[in-house]
């Protein structure tokens, strides 16, 4: 069964469900659990629409992406892919899902919002690539991850050949992509594919807690930091430092910088994002947001 909206802050499309779960944080759920959250064109379109909608909401500062049921995403829905090959491929002459999935992957990377993948179960082929496109990954001890395209006679098709070497190194990436092996959560943590591993019942609370810690930081600095980290995958040190100079210069004009300095000097929690909230008030600082002196 799918997930049903449980609060006034929830929204549901046919294959994607999202809900505001904390100040500045939205949980986005792939919602085809009876099909392993396999990707079909409708899911790709619904996910892209949800991402676009949430980016336009300035009260949202971080996302958590997960899957309903027992799987994160099994990649392409192979039954639907079989029908496509039988009925449409001769006309379309294009890979299944590719044209609508490519914008989703690029949107995840380019989004102003940091995105935490909460990998609750299987994440294989295109499903793994969706998780890799996110900024951080937390997985359940039940998670199984694999770049399994080659088991179907295909190379990685949704960014895996770009993400994997940058995350785990060329040798491990080659092993995963060329063997199609599925690895468990402990191995994924060991090679740096995921940030942390937690028990199944702790997965969403842990991912939301991490997202809350991020969302509590100044929103302009969050966006600038994500952009800088992503750009650093593709540019040299001098280019990265030059871009960082101008980003830092621009944020010297922000209210949050003055607030961060004053809060440190006054030995009190900072109250960031006043202008980002609809009513102009700052969110109360939580223990997770406060950190240690000098962290802000």
């Amino acid at each position: 069964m799918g997930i049903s909206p449980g609060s006034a802050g929830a929204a549901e499309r046919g294959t994607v469900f999202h809900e505001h779960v904390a100040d500045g944080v939205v949980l986005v759920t792939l919602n085809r659990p009876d099909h392993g959250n396999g990707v079909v064109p409708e899911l790709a379109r619904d996910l892209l629409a949800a991402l676009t909608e949430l980016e336009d909401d300035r009260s949202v500062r971080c996302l958590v992406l997960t899957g309903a049921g027992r799987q994160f995403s099994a990649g392409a829905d192979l039954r639907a892919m079989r029908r496509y090959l039988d009925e449409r491929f001769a006309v379309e002459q294009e890979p299944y899902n590719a044209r609508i999935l490519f914008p989703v992957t690029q949107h995840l990377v380019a989004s102003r919002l940091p995105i935490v993948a909460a990998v609750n179960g299987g994440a294989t082929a295109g499903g793994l690539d969706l998780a890799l496109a996110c900024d951080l990954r937390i997985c359940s001890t039940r998670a199984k991850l694999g770049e399994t395209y080659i088991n179907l006679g295909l190379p990685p098709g949704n960014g895996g050949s770009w993400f994997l070497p940058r995350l785990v190194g060329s040798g491990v990436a080659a092993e995963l992509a060329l063997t199609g092996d599925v690895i468990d959560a402990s191995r994924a943590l060991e090679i740096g594919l995921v940030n942390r591993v937690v028990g199944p019942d702790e997965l969403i609370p842990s991912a939301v807690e991490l997202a809350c810690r991020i969302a509590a930081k100044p929103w302009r600095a969050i966006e600038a930091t994500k952009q800088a980290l992503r750009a650093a995958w593709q540019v040299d040190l001098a280019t990265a430092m030059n871009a960082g100079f101008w980003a830092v210069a621009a944020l010297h004009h922000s209210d949050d910088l003055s607030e961060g300095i004053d809060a440190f000097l006054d030995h009190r929690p900072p109250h960031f994002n006043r202008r980002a909230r609809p009513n102009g008030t700052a969110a109360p600082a939580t223990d997770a947001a406060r950190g240690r002196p000098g962290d802000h």
Side-chain angles (χ1 to χ4, degrees):
M1 296 294 291
I3 292 177
S4 298
S7 75
E12 188 174 21
R13 292 177 170 83
T15 63
V16 172
F17 168 74
H18 67 83
E19 182 176 8
H20 291 256
V21 292
D23 181 42
V25 177
V26 172
L27 175 65
V28 180
T29 304
L30 307 178
N31 198 26
R32 298 188 73 231
D34 294 340
H35 304 277
N37 297 313
V39 179
V40 292
E42 294 79 7
L43 184 145
R45 293 189 187 104
D46 288 347
L47 180 55
L48 186 60
L51 292 171
T52 302
E53 174 186 330
L54 293 169
E55 279 197 337
D56 289 341
D57 184 347
R58 299 305 302 187
S59 71
V60 179
R61 298 187 295 281
C62 195
L63 303 180
V64 175
L65 177 65
T66 194
R70 299 177 61 86
Q71 307 293 324
F72 178 79
S73 174
D77 184 319
L78 295 184
R79 288 184 175 83
M81 185 175 180
R82 178 74 268 170
R83 289 194 298 272
Y84 172 83
L85 291 173
D86 292 342
E87 300 170 10
R88 296 298 306 165
F89 180 66
V91 176
E92 303 290 346
Q93 289 291 297
E94 287 191 346
Y96 180 66
N97 275 343
R99 192 166 293 274
I100 46 179
L101 258 181
F102 282 13
V104 174
T105 300
Q106 294 173 48
H107 207 99
L108 290 168
V109 172
S111 174
R112 70 174 181 86
L113 300 168
I115 302 170
V116 180
V119 183
N120 51 307
T124 53
L128 176 62
D129 291 348
L130 283 177
L132 298 183
C134 297
D135 300 285
L136 302 103
R137 284 155 294 284
I138 297 178
C139 73
S140 159
T141 52
R142 294 177 180 167
K144 304 289 184 181
L145 304 95
E147 192 73 348
T148 55
Y149 290 94
I150 203 162
N151 296 335
L152 298 177
L154 296 171
N158 196 39
S161 59
W162 192 84
F163 292 116
L164 273 175
R166 288 164 171 80
L167 290 169
V168 302
S170 60
V172 176
E175 180 180 349
L176 292 172
L178 289 170
T179 65
D181 286 349
V182 175
I183 61 175
D184 61 18
S186 61
R187 177 60 174 157
L189 181 63
E190 179 184 352
I191 64 177
L193 194 61
V194 301
N195 296 77
R196 66 181 73 166
V197 176
V198 298
D201 294 339
E202 302 172 62
L203 179 64
I204 298 303
S206 294
V208 170
E209 188 273 338
L210 177 58
C212 285
R213 289 175 57 201
I214 294 169
K217 305 300 182 182
W219 68 267
R220 296 175 185 85
I222 292 171
E223 294 184 21
T225 299
K226 171 165 178 170
Q227 291 168 7
L229 290 171
R230 290 298 194 173
W233 286 23
Q234 305 177 70
V235 302
D236 60 23
L237 176 61
T239 303
M241 292 185 69
N242 185 60
F245 173 88
W246 291 110
V248 170
L251 293 187
H252 267 60
H253 298 279
S254 72
D255 297 335
D256 285 328
L257 175 63
S258 291
E259 170 61 15
I261 293 172
D262 290 345
F264 176 78
L265 295 176
D266 295 343
H267 304 286
R268 60 172 175 80
H271 298 288
F272 293 131
N273 302 311
R274 284 187 171 91
R275 295 181 185 273
R277 291 167 60 81
N279 59 5
T281 61
T286 63
D287 290 339
R290 290 188 180 104
R292 298 183 298 275
D295 282 353
H296 303 289

